[in-house]
Amino acid sequence: MTIPANVRTRHASTPVAESITRVATRSDDVEVRFGLPADRGDWYLCSEMLEDPQLFSRWRKALAAWLVDEYGESSDRATAGYVMGWYLGVAGGLAGLLFHSARRVPSLKPADLAFRIADDDRPHVAGIALLSDDFLCLPDDPAGNHPAATVVADEQALAAVLRTRYIAHAAAFVSAYAPTVRLGRRMLWAAATDALDKGAWLAGRTCGDEATGVADAAMLLPHRVEPLTSASTMRFVDGEWTRKRESCCFTYVLPGADACDTCPRVCR
């Protein structure tokens, strides 16, 4: 795949790139970076995936092979559920990290986000990349006068524009992915809700301030916003934060597997 020239020549010295650098070392599970490496390897632009849904089918095929190794068999519902959650976590996770750590909202357009699929046996998302300098911020942001910045009035306005941008990306995903899987649109939008709620929560946990991550989730999802399926479902149970998932990954259909603790089928 060919990297567009404007992606190849990005400089990691803009305010949003510096925000990415500050949080990049916080997570041991997923690489977070600004721009793509010279050797793309298994990196995909989100726009490429949405424009060619067969890439989702290839991704699910690789996942099916891993599930067979792990559980003895695969399931169309499970591969659809895993990939659904992994993909939506790209935009939800990055948005949550920058909102929590810098009160900045990046571009969430599919052409401005990329992700890397792990090259080990389990083909999960192992890296997320932001490709655009543009961002929104608060009036007291030290980079508010930067040409790439757009200042909004307050935190509520910043949360609203993040939500709007995220929903636009999720809508493009639902349109591209729905014809390739046997999942209803409500399930797809439930997964989109989960990814935004979880992204804010995990950003707080990653940065060492879980309670603020929970508060961020409540700010981003204070109530149900169509076409999302619920407000934040974060709750404090037995001395720890958890949440009730709106969607299902369908792990429970695999031989010997149990439902997740946060599954809507079993969650307290």
Side-chain angles (χ1 to χ4, degrees):
M1 298 177 183
T2 302
I3 304 173
N6 66 324
V7 174
R8 292 197 302 267
T9 58
R10 292 292 189 195
H11 297 290
S13 59
T14 61
V16 75
E18 291 166 358
S19 295
I20 291 287
T21 299
R22 284 193 291 271
V23 298
T25 59
R26 300 291 186 99
S27 176
D28 296 328
D29 298 326
V30 179
E31 175 189 7
V32 182
R33 59 177 293 134
F34 184 82
L36 291 173
D39 179 8
R40 279 185 72 174
D42 291 323
W43 286 91
Y44 294 88
L45 299 183
C46 288
S47 55
E48 293 170 337
M49 191 73 65
L50 298 180
E51 290 164 6
D52 183 6
Q54 287 304 309
L55 293 174
F56 285 118
S57 298
R58 284 167 48 186
W59 191 0
R60 290 178 59 203
K61 184 176 180 180
L63 173 59
W66 180 79
L67 291 176
V68 169
D69 288 342
E70 290 292 309
Y71 296 97
E73 66 181 65
S74 182
S75 159
D76 284 346
R77 282 189 293 171
T79 61
Y82 275 54
V83 168
M84 170 181 69
W86 285 340
Y87 179 90
L88 289 164
V90 172
L94 183 65
L97 265 177
L98 288 184
F99 185 78
H100 175 82
S101 64
R103 282 301 190 256
R104 291 174 176 172
V105 174
S107 172
L108 297 179
K109 295 178 181 177
D112 293 333
L113 296 180
F115 63 97
R116 177 173 64 85
I117 297 176
D119 56 7
D120 55 19
D121 291 339
R122 181 173 178 261
H124 60 288
V125 171
I128 301 172
L130 176 64
L131 311 178
S132 171
D133 300 322
D134 296 336
F135 67 101
L136 292 97
C137 62
L138 298 175
D140 61 354
D141 192 300
N145 62 350
H146 190 277
T150 299
V151 177
V152 299
D154 52 33
E155 285 189 337
Q156 296 298 328
L158 196 66
V161 74
L162 186 156
R163 190 166 53 243
T164 298
R165 289 185 169 193
Y166 175 77
I167 288 173
H169 189 137
F173 168 75
V174 170
S175 294
Y177 196 59
T180 71
V181 294
R182 298 178 65 182
L183 298 176
R185 286 182 178 264
R186 190 197 182 283
M187 177 64 72
L188 295 170
W189 279 110
T193 307
D194 285 335
L196 183 59
D197 198 20
K198 183 179 178 181
W201 170 35
L202 293 187
R205 178 185 287 182
T206 297
C207 294
D209 190 359
E210 184 178 23
T212 300
V214 172
D216 288 344
M219 190 184 308
L220 294 174
L221 290 170
H223 50 79
R224 181 182 177 186
V225 178
E226 293 280 358
L228 302 177
T229 58
S230 79
S232 173
T233 64
M234 295 299 309
R235 73 272 315 270
F236 199 66
V237 178
D238 294 338
E240 63 182 14
W241 285 104
T242 186
R243 64 180 304 276
K244 177 193 171 197
R245 289 181 57 157
E246 285 285 290
S247 65
C248 184
C249 65
F250 299 103
T251 298
Y252 78 94
V253 305
L254 299 167
D258 296 321
C260 307
D261 291 340
T262 55
C263 179
R265 290 175 169 79
V266 300
C267 184
R268 288 173 292 173

